[in-house]
Amino acid sequence: MLLAQGAAAQDGWATAPGTGIVAARYDADADVYPHRIMGRIREKHVLLAQDDAGQVHSVDLRQSGSSVFEDIAPRVVDADGDGVNDVVVVETDPRAGAQLAVYGLRRGGLTKIAATPHIGTRFRWLAPVAVADLDGDGTVDLAYVDRPHLAMTLQVWTWAGGGLTRIAEMGDLTNHRIGDEVIWGGLRDCGAGPEMVLADGGFNRIVLVRLTSNGLRRETTGLAATDGGFRRVLSCRY
């Protein structure tokens, strides 16, 4: 279950069991891209990742340009389905905006192995929802909300042809409000398969979304999009 991630997670290590990467965190506050969409959480220059042998690897975006990690916290997860953990992050170009990026261990170092296209303009962001096999076809899918304050569009990407391909999208959904230091909702499985947990576009009601062979299917719940409401849904008490 992928729960909402708070500000405290950014300065600590996000962890996961398994092989490959087992912990990750951001470091080095960035001042080159003052979007400040995440409240007091600052954009970062550096991604640190610890492998299962205890070695710490790093990516410093200052070495290749002025991009930043614009994120609440990194996600340690097997993002490509090879049985080895990767790190999924929000990486932002100062001219082209955010993209969802996957970093993995390759040839003894931390390397970007896949990414979605940048949104296309500065100060445009995305908020991750889930990294999992969402439709049960054996392939890992990656979902995020494209511009959760503007476009409010859920996008789902899957692995195909050695990279990521968009396979579904649905509008009037969000998981973040300007200034929030948490990405709300995430993924749950209450015994009937994976369901993404989001809010409607007005951030009024919690919405459950499933990926099926026919695309995305939504169910608007009667629960308010509050901290208590999200906790109730994520813990399968709805």
Side-chain angles (χ1 to χ4, degrees), residues 30-168:
D31 294 318
V32 296
Y33 188 74
H35 194 191
R36 304 294 186 267
I37 204 71
M38 304 174 294
R40 295 168 296 175
I41 296 177
R42 301 284 295 277
E43 298 83 7
K44 301 286 187 178
H45 286 299
V46 175
L47 172 66
L48 300 172
Q50 180 178 326
D51 64 28
D52 54 9
Q55 182 176 356
V56 176
H57 309 265
S58 67
V59 170
D60 188 335
L61 296 179
R62 291 171 293 192
Q63 296 175 351
S64 57
S66 53
S67 292
V68 296
F69 296 107
E70 189 179 15
D71 201 359
I72 303 293
R75 296 145 202 85
V76 181
V77 62
D78 178 7
D80 57 4
D82 67 353
V84 178
N85 286 344
D86 310 292
V87 186
V88 177
V89 301
V90 181
E91 185 173 329
T92 297
D93 180 273
R95 293 165 298 279
Q99 66 175 182
L100 194 70
V102 181
Y103 281 83
L105 294 175
R106 298 291 189 275
R107 297 177 296 279
L110 196 57
T111 302
K112 187 190 291 190
I113 60 175
T116 63
H118 291 280
I119 289 172
T121 188
R122 72 189 268 109
F123 296 155
R124 296 296 181 264
W125 190 60
L126 61 86
V129 177
V131 181
D133 179 2
L134 296 174
D135 56 359
D137 67 352
T139 302
V140 177
D141 308 298
L142 295 86
Y144 63 80
V145 177
D146 174 14
R147 290 161 288 173
H149 323 113
L150 295 170
M152 300 184 187
T153 302
L154 172 67
Q155 293 194 6
V156 181
W157 296 69
T158 198
W159 294 91
L164 292 171
T165 298
R166 185 171 58 192
I167 57 171

Side-chain angles (χ1 to χ4, degrees), residues 1-3 130 134 185-197 208 210 219 221 223 232-238:
M1 180 183 297
L2 178 64
L3 299 176
L134 296 174
L187 185 70
R188 74 172 195 175
D189 189 338
C190 299
E195 294 176 300
M196 290 174 277
V197 181
L208 302 175
R210 288 182 180 271
E219 173 194 349
T221 75
L223 295 177
R232 179 177 173 184
V233 172
L234 287 166
S235 62
C236 296
R237 291 184 288 117
Y238 172 89

